[in-house]
């Protein structure tokens, strides 16, 4: 695997080239001084092919129009990191972060996990939720595979999990929904509790049913120890920390990634919705609002 980090820099008088490339371990950093012109976008694409780069990380100011233009020029398949792989590995930490901000104990709450059939998904991730939540409810069209897990858990551990795919009722009472891999059209077919918090793991989804007044979480922020921060500073400023750390993890064995995240002491520091960062006050306001409504005398 070879990673290319592409960033924009101001033109220095001493630099006559429009693209400056330097080696970073076995990877490359592109400092681009003129990316608006098509000829420089094409030149970047040629370098990517020549250096056999198969994975790209764009800085924040290029992660939009220019990213799309460069990728369109490339004829080869290149993996452009969007942070979702790290979000997948840290999904339990994200859910726990949300509950901590609401002063909720996972042992007292139910979690609803919705996923569609995909043989590439390792369902071992369910164990962490089963062990830490009051009740784990799985909503899926992969009923047969999940039924086997359900029966094994009940027989070997005496643990019961709920399995369903009732689009009208399965998520009607859900407060916390972890959407593993459904896209917007697929998720929109479900009737979801109007006050639910939906965490979209693999897809960027806006569940916008007219009756929905809850929260969509599509991304997150992380905090890293100083030694990791120093490594990332060598690549450059104005990169998304989630994507930089994700690029580092891609070089690891998948089975060891969760251990490495823990060892690196990387933690969730914020959550992001459709309109930007979700403040703690918003999560707590909803909690207090529901509590107030529940205490009203009728």
């Amino acid at each position: 695997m070879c990673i290319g980090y592409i960033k924009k820099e101001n033109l220095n008088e001493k630099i006559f080239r429009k693209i400056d490339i330097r080696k970073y371990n076995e990877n490359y950093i592109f400092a681009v001084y003129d990316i608006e012109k098509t000829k420089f976008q094409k030149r970047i694409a040629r370098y990517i092919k020549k250096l056999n780069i198969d994975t790209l990380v764009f800085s924040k100011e290029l992660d939009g129009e220019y990213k799309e233009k460069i990728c369109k020029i490339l004829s080869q398949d290149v993996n452009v990191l969007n942070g979702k792989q790290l979000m997948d590995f840290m999904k339990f930490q994200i859910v726990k972060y949300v509950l901590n901000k609401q002063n909720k104990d996972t042992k007292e709450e139910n979690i609803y996990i919705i996923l569609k059939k995909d043989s590439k998904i390792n369902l071992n991730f369910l164990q962490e939720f089963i062990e830490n939540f009051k009740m784990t409810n799985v909503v899926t069209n992969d009923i047969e595979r999940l039924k086997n897990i359900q029966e094994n858990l009940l027989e070997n551990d005496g643990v019961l999990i709920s399995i369903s795919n009732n689009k009208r009722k399965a998520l009607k009472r859900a407060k916390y929904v972890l959407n593993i891999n459904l896209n917007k059209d697929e998720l929109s077919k479900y009737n979801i509790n109007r006050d639910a918090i939906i965490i979209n793991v693999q897809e960027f989804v806006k569940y916008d049913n007219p009756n929905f007044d809850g929260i969509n979480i599509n991304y997150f922020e992380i905090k890293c120890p100083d030694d990791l921060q120093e490594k990332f500073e060598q690549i450059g400023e104005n990169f998304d920390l989630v994507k930089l750390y994700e690029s580092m993890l891609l070089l690891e064995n998948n089975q060891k990634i969760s251990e490495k995240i823990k060892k690196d002491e990387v933690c969730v520091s914020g959550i992001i919705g459709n309109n930007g960062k979700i403040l703690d006050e918003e999560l707590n306001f909803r909690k207090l609002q529901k509590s107030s409504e529940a205490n009203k005398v009728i």
Side-chain angles (χ1 to χ4, degrees), residues 57-157:
V57 182
F58 287 83
S59 62
K60 292 177 183 177
E61 70 266 59
L62 300 182
D63 193 12
E65 177 186 357
Y66 299 119
K67 176 187 74 175
E68 297 300 326
K69 287 180 177 178
I70 291 171
C71 290
K72 191 174 182 180
I73 294 169
L74 288 165
S75 57
Q76 68 196 77
D77 289 331
V78 177
N79 180 25
V80 181
L81 299 192
N82 62 4
K84 282 292 191 177
Q85 291 181 70
L86 182 59
M87 192 169 183
D88 199 355
F89 281 111
M90 295 185 70
K91 51 185 172 286
F92 178 77
Q93 292 93 320
I94 294 171
V95 175
K96 193 170 180 181
Y97 174 90
V98 171
L99 269 72
N100 284 342
K101 290 300 179 181
Q102 294 186 321
N103 295 315
K104 297 285 188 70
D105 183 356
T106 58
K107 296 289 187 182
E108 301 298 322
E109 299 295 332
N110 298 330
I111 183 72
Y112 289 77
I113 300 173
I114 183 168
L115 57 94
K116 63 185 175 185
K117 191 172 185 177
D118 185 347
S119 59
K120 291 182 290 186
I121 293 179
N122 187 340
L123 296 177
N124 289 340
F125 81 87
L126 291 171
Q127 190 65 37
E128 194 166 22
F129 291 92
I130 293 167
E131 291 174 354
N132 288 280
F133 277 83
K134 179 181 177 182
M135 182 68 177
T136 298
N137 305 271
V138 183
V139 181
T140 182
N141 62 353
D142 197 356
I143 297 293
E144 185 176 347
R145 190 178 174 201
L146 267 297
K147 281 288 184 185
N148 290 333
I149 293 174
Q150 183 187 48
E151 290 169 3
N152 288 334
L153 282 169
L154 187 59
E155 181 179 346
N156 299 325
D157 303 319

Side-chain angles (χ1 to χ4, degrees), residues 114-213:
I114 183 168
L115 57 94
K116 63 185 175 185
K117 191 172 185 177
D118 185 347
S119 59
K120 291 182 290 186
I121 293 179
N122 187 340
L123 296 177
N124 289 340
F125 81 87
L126 291 171
Q127 190 65 37
E128 194 166 22
F129 291 92
I130 293 167
E131 291 174 354
N132 288 280
F133 277 83
K134 179 181 177 182
M135 182 68 177
T136 298
N137 305 271
V138 183
V139 181
T140 182
N141 62 353
D142 197 356
I143 297 293
E144 185 176 347
R145 190 178 174 201
L146 267 297
K147 281 288 184 185
N148 290 333
I149 293 174
Q150 183 187 48
E151 290 169 3
N152 288 334
L153 282 169
L154 187 59
E155 181 179 346
N156 299 325
D157 303 319
V159 174
L160 179 65
I161 63 172
S162 170
I163 310 293
S164 172
N165 195 34
N166 189 314
K167 293 180 172 60
R168 191 169 61 88
K169 295 181 178 180
L171 298 171
K172 192 174 182 180
R173 298 182 183 278
K175 288 197 293 183
Y176 304 101
V177 178
L178 188 68
N179 171 26
I180 300 298
N181 61 347
L182 273 67
N183 60 35
K184 180 178 178 179
D185 290 340
E186 291 164 339
L187 192 63
S188 66
K189 295 175 182 177
Y190 288 82
N191 181 20
I192 301 178
N193 175 13
R194 65 174 297 155
D195 295 315
I197 295 176
I198 305 172
I199 300 169
N200 300 297
V201 178
Q202 294 183 9
E203 300 278 349
F204 289 92
V205 177
K206 182 178 180 180
Y207 181 80
D208 53 4
N209 184 293
N211 296 320
F212 184 68
D213 194 34

Side-chain angles (χ1 to χ4, degrees), residues 290-298:
K290 289 183 203 175
S291 175
S292 174
E293 289 174 355
N295 291 327
K296 283 182 181 178
V297 178
I298 300 177

Side-chain angles (χ1 to χ4, degrees), residues 208-270:
D208 53 4
N209 184 293
N211 296 320
F212 184 68
D213 194 34
I215 295 175
N216 285 282
I217 297 173
N218 275 302
Y219 204 58
F220 71 124
E221 296 174 335
I222 59 173
K223 183 168 63 175
C224 296
D226 291 342
D227 59 332
L228 273 177
Q229 285 284 162
E230 290 173 6
K231 287 183 181 179
F232 295 143
E233 285 172 5
Q234 296 174 34
I235 297 174
E237 299 178 355
N238 209 26
F239 278 91
D240 177 18
L241 193 57
V242 170
K243 294 171 187 173
L244 288 180
Y245 186 62
E246 181 178 277
S247 72
M248 178 187 293
L249 289 182
L250 288 180
L251 304 175
E252 298 288 325
N253 184 316
N254 271 7
Q255 295 178 344
K256 298 181 179 178
I257 286 182
S258 295
E259 295 174 16
K260 180 165 178 57
I261 293 171
K262 188 175 181 180
K263 182 181 178 182
D264 288 341
E265 298 180 342
V266 173
C267 61
V268 179
S269 62

